[in-house]
Amino acid sequence: MMSTILIIEDEVELVKVLRAYLEQAGYDVLTAYRGDSGLSTWEHKRPDAVILDLNLPGMDGLDVAKQIRRKASTPILMLTARVEEIDQLIGLELGADDYLTKPYSPRLVVAHLRALLRRAGSPADKPIILRAADFEINLDAHSVHRYDQEIELTPTEFNLLATLAEQPGRTFTRLQLLETASQGMAYAGYERTIDAHIKNLRAKIEPDSKNPIYIETVFGVGYRFAKTTYPNSQTCT
Ligand code: CA
């Protein structure tokens, strides 16, 4: 059974990105762009968890959280634009279960959500270990092993590898990878910096970085994680 996540957020682009990541992670996604409509969606659909923006039209996130808390213990992941707001929120003890400040990485949102659902005892808890080719990638611990040997990666390299390995065979453009690497703060024109990160990553994970077998270059487009060589690649617990 899949968990259903309700995103209440008025920034359309953020919703689009979050939805893509959550669906990729195996969740059913509902969306609302206003606080009041979000609350009514929650009321009618009773999702397994809510991702809630603080500043919303219609009804602000604090009130939405309070209304939800009055009736149920649905896990709430609150998104805020400023760190200072988090202190205020914790002081208010309004019932949100976890907080993230913007800009946040969609991957981080998924990781926090998984933890929330796990704590809530959701039966549809999702795996946090990604297995692809010879790699075991722990999305919670941010660690990578190849044949039981740990590979030390920088956070940027880790995010790149996890993004690519999550969808073997899918080609990512440099801009898409830059967005992952920079946690959503990508700037067009800097796409080539990805090449340097990929080069460093290959040096760490490829048997021969001049002839890469895991991370393939797709000329004129970007990169992809090799699929054909590893038919057994899979995601599991
Ligand atoms: Ca907002």
Side-chain angles (χ1 to χ4, degrees), residues 10-27:
D10 58 323
E11 287 173 59
V12 178
E13 281 306 309
L14 281 184
V15 173
K16 215 188 276 179
V17 172
L18 277 180
R19 173 194 276 279
Y21 268 81
L22 290 169
E23 287 180 346
Q24 177 59 36
Y27 297 109

Side-chain angles (χ1 to χ4, degrees), residues 21 105-107 155-167 170-188 190-199 201-202 215-218 221-225:
Y21 268 81
S105 116
R107 182 174 303 288
T156 298
E157 291 159 4
F158 179 88
N159 284 334
L160 284 175
L161 178 62
T163 299
L164 290 164
E166 214 158 40
Q167 300 180 66
R170 174 180 163 187
T171 299
F172 289 85
T173 66
R174 287 183 174 80
L175 188 58
Q176 285 170 333
L177 292 174
L178 187 63
E179 275 165 3
T180 298
S182 58
Q183 313 216 322
M185 300 267 288
Y187 300 102
Y190 288 83
E191 292 96 324
R192 290 284 160 181
T193 59
I194 283 302
D195 296 350
H197 291 303
I198 292 285
K199 191 176 169 215
L201 181 57
R202 278 174 170 160
I215 296 179
E216 301 173 334
T217 302
V218 181
V221 186
Y223 298 94
R224 71 177 168 223
F225 196 86

Side-chain angles (χ1 to χ4, degrees), residues 3-138:
S3 293
T4 302
I5 312 298
L6 169 61
I7 304 171
I8 309 176
E9 160 68 81
D10 58 323
E11 287 173 59
V12 178
E13 281 306 309
L14 281 184
V15 173
K16 215 188 276 179
V17 172
L18 277 180
R19 173 194 276 279
Y21 268 81
L22 290 169
E23 287 180 346
Q24 177 59 36
Y27 297 109
D28 273 337
V29 178
L30 302 167
T31 56
Y33 300 96
R34 297 170 53 92
D36 46 5
S37 64
L39 184 60
S40 102
T41 304
W42 175 82
E43 192 78 67
H44 291 105
K45 307 281 188 177
R46 292 296 173 125
D48 297 293
V50 177
I51 295 175
L52 181 60
D53 184 29
L54 185 59
N55 298 305
L56 289 165
M59 176 188 281
D60 80 27
L62 287 177
D63 289 330
V64 174
K66 278 185 215 156
Q67 296 292 329
I68 291 175
R69 268 298 162 276
R70 242 174 238 174
K71 295 174 182 168
S73 58
T74 312
I76 298 173
L77 172 58
M78 187 77 95
L79 304 176
T80 78
R82 299 200 317 267
V83 181
E84 306 89 78
E85 285 175 344
I86 289 192
D87 293 334
Q88 293 170 12
L89 290 174
I90 292 169
L92 287 171
E93 292 179 355
L94 56 90
D97 301 281
D98 197 1
Y99 311 86
L100 280 177
T101 42
K102 297 178 180 181
Y104 48 80
S105 116
R107 182 174 303 288
L108 202 60
V109 172
V110 173
H112 279 246
L113 204 55
R114 279 178 175 137
L116 275 185
L117 288 167
R118 203 156 47 233
R119 286 206 297 263
S122 163
D125 189 22
K126 295 295 159 184
I128 53 160
I129 306 281
L130 180 69
R131 290 179 220 278
D134 306 317
F135 300 97
E136 192 176 285
I137 302 166
N138 187 316

